[in-house]
Amino acid sequence: MNNSETTVQYDLEIPPAQDDAVRFRRKSIFETSSDFEAPSPVSYDSGSLTASDDEIDHLAEKPHLAYIPPPDGGYGWVVVVCCFMLEFFAEGPTSAFGVFQDYYVNEKFQGRVSNATISLIGVLNSSCMAILGVVSGKLCERFGYRIVPLCGVFMLSLGYFLASFASEPWHLLLTQGVLCGVGAALTFLPAAVIPSQWFERRRGLATGTVNLGIGVGGIAWTQFNHLLIKRISVAWVLRLTSIIVLALCTVSLLLIKTFQSTPVQQRPNLQSLRNRNLLTFMAASFFTGISSLVPFFYLPGYAKDIGISSSGGALITSIANVASLTGRLAATVFSDYCGPVVILLGAYVLTSSSILLIWTATHNFSGTMAFGIVFGLGYGAIFTQTSAFVAKFFGVDALPVFVGLYYTVSGFGYLFGPPIAGVLLEKTRSWGSPYIGLKLYCGVPMVIALIAIVAVK
């Protein structure tokens, strides 16, 4: 051995009662040694997952450190509740943007803007939140899981507050679109990452419960906005949203703590980013992003074009959202029994088949309703399993960066999806079957995403 190198050996001492728990730990793709060492757990007060030089020196001084798996409960459930609240209050209002769009087009800016222009506010919000996911992950690793999300909560609250004074559409694009999207990007990552650190056997239940916050929040904020816009004003609804988000998200973040099974965390490098499984998973993310928003954007217009009333179209969209929440619940319950791979495969089968087999073949209320239900079930299940899937195939150490990277890639899909779908809709109206070009454009990428998930090993 080279004298200039120092090798620190660790004696892995694991009590017999912990054997099963350790067996469930999958080695991170960052670990290059076949025999990886497992030091003792460290619970930080929302600190960074990247070890400092002092921590490494401290580790070298204590070579007899045993790996203890996550508790699968305890304070982890407090973390789950707080992360649920982050999803509910940070991302829920984004899911309810349709209420604002209707008000902006038909009242505030009546005759001055089109639906397409106002829809850019929602697209910018969702895309900024997703595309900046990897940036959020790196910032959280560098500065910790408290400072970065608190800055995000402040930006999110500020965006809603400034939007309440908007007098031109471009004011809303900058505030409710870009500023709120960037704030949400910095806020949501702890909710997507930290619960997986506290759980192994119940990881699917924990991450799925957190993801329910988006679905429940979308339904609750839709009703909240719809009722109060008529009773007070859209300006005061935005100000109330700003206050609620700032207060409750801040409290939740102050209670969230990270859990580390190993004090020295592996850093992503260029070699890990060339990992075949990772590239395949990112491809699935991109094609999912292309397809996933198209039905929700175009179902109301499709319903109108085939003779369904506006109230019927709204009912179909609402039922699809309820089905999405049901899919999240079902995936949460069965994930720890079936595993994230089985859940994801089933979800992609539901979404792709609902588009290509149901939506393309039916042109009436009942058929469109059936499509909305089946697609909603699959769509909801997909997004509950991202963190559990990453932890299973790439290791818990990979969560901050790779979950962020997943949302970043899917965000680019969001940018391509609805706009290209609109172009295809206009170009293929003469094909006979209503919306056939749009339906194929929506269904084929989802099938490609399904194939990519199957290819991950």
Side-chain angles (χ1 to χ4, degrees):
M1 182 180 70
N2 192 328
N3 292 331
S4 63
E5 297 177 346
T6 301
T7 302
V8 180
Q9 295 181 346
Y10 304 98
D11 295 331
L12 185 60
E13 300 175 358
I14 304 173
Q18 295 177 354
D19 287 345
D20 290 341
V22 173
R23 179 166 50 85
F24 281 98
R25 181 173 183 259
R26 183 184 180 95
K27 188 181 77 168
S28 167
I29 66 169
F30 303 140
E31 297 173 288
T32 56
S33 172
S34 58
D35 297 319
F36 67 100
E37 291 79 24
S40 64
V42 179
S43 179
Y44 289 103
D45 192 9
S46 298
S48 171
L49 294 186
T50 303
S52 66
D53 293 338
D54 291 340
E55 289 169 336
I56 295 174
D57 292 340
H58 176 71
L59 181 63
E61 294 172 0
K62 296 185 176 182
H64 298 283
L65 295 173
Y67 169 77
I68 299 178
D72 266 322
Y75 196 81
W77 291 118
V78 176
V79 172
V80 167
V81 171
C82 291
C83 290
F84 175 92
M85 298 295 283
L86 282 183
E87 298 278 17
F88 183 95
F89 289 106
E91 297 192 52
T94 301
S95 302
F97 177 73
V99 177
F100 288 107
Q101 176 166 333
D102 181 66
Y103 174 82
Y104 292 148
V105 172
N106 296 316
E107 295 188 41
K108 188 177 182 66
F109 303 114
Q110 186 177 15
R112 296 169 55 191
V113 295
S114 64
N115 267 295
T117 301
I118 294 299
S119 69
L120 284 176
I121 301 170
V123 170
L124 280 174
N125 189 306
S126 300
S127 298
C128 286
M129 182 175 63
I131 290 173
L132 294 176
V134 69
V135 177
S136 176
K138 294 301 293 182
L139 288 174
C140 285
E141 281 206 321
R142 176 66 181 85
F143 298 105
Y145 281 88
R146 177 162 294 165
I147 299 299
V148 175
L150 282 174
C151 292
V153 168
F154 176 77
M155 293 179 67
L156 188 61
S157 177
L158 181 63
Y160 287 120
F161 184 74
L162 294 178
S164 69
F165 298 100
S167 58
E168 297 292 336
W170 66 269
H171 296 165
L172 294 170
L173 288 171
L174 293 179
T175 55
Q176 198 169 358
V178 176
L179 190 57
C180 287
V182 173
L186 298 178
T187 303
F188 86 91
L189 196 74
V193 170
I194 294 178
S196 292
Q197 299 172 358
W198 287 86
F199 295 86
E200 272 188 329
R201 291 185 180 89
R202 299 176 179 175
R203 181 173 290 150
L205 175 63
T207 58
T209 300
V210 169
N211 276 281
L212 289 176
I214 303 175
V216 176
I219 295 172
W221 282 102
T222 297
Q223 297 302 316
F224 174 85
N225 295 336
H226 179 72
L227 291 174
L228 290 187
I229 284 176
K230 295 183 178 299
R231 294 189 178 184
I232 46 178
S233 68
V234 70
W236 274 105
V237 169
L238 288 167
R239 290 165 197 160
L240 284 174
T241 302
S242 172
I243 295 169
I244 292 170
V245 167
L246 180 63
L248 295 180
C249 285
T250 299
V251 171
S252 297
L253 282 169
L254 293 177
L255 293 174
I256 290 176
K257 296 181 180 181
T258 60
F259 181 92
Q260 292 179 218
S261 296
T262 58
V264 178
Q265 299 293 318
Q266 304 291 334
R267 289 191 177 109
N269 51 50
L270 292 178
Q271 183 178 359
S272 66
L273 295 177
R274 291 195 297 266
N275 179 275
R276 187 188 67 84
N277 280 341
L278 175 64
L279 294 175
T280 305
F281 186 55
M282 292 302 109
S285 170
F286 176 74
F287 287 108
T288 302
I290 289 177
S291 295
S292 58
L293 291 182
V294 172
F296 292 104
F297 273 58
Y298 289 96
L299 260 180
Y302 173 75
K304 182 179 179 181
D305 281 2
I306 63 173
I308 300 174
S309 66
S310 58
S311 60
L315 177 62
I316 292 173
T317 305
S318 298
I319 293 297
N321 280 295
V322 173
S324 174
L325 177 60
T326 305
R328 293 174 191 270
L329 282 168
T332 298
V333 171
F334 292 107
S335 177
D336 291 321
Y337 299 97
C338 304
V341 179
V342 173
I343 297 295
L344 273 180
L345 289 176
Y348 276 108
V349 168
L350 284 176
T351 52
S352 56
S353 61
S354 68
I355 298 168
L356 295 177
L357 299 182
I358 301 177
W359 200 17
T360 58
T362 57
H363 314 297
N364 52 42
F365 178 83
S366 58
T368 307
M369 177 66 79
F371 159 71
I373 293 172
V374 178
F375 179 84
L377 288 170
Y379 172 83
I382 287 173
F383 292 97
T384 63
Q385 300 302 303
T386 302
S387 296
F389 190 89
V390 169
K392 176 179 177 62
F393 280 92
F394 309 115
V396 176
D397 294 352
L399 281 170
V401 175
F402 285 3
V403 170
L405 186 60
Y406 174 90
Y407 284 106
T408 296
V409 174
S410 65
F412 285 107
Y414 295 155
L415 285 175
F416 285 107
I420 295 179
V423 173
L424 287 174
L425 175 61
E426 297 301 323
K427 297 290 185 181
T428 59
R429 283 188 182 276
S430 61
W431 286 14
S433 181
Y435 282 55
I436 185 62
L438 181 146
K439 294 173 183 177
L440 292 175
Y441 171 72
C442 181
V444 171
M446 197 64 78
V447 172
I448 297 174
L450 169 60
I451 294 172
I453 292 297
V454 171
V456 176
K457 298 178 180 180

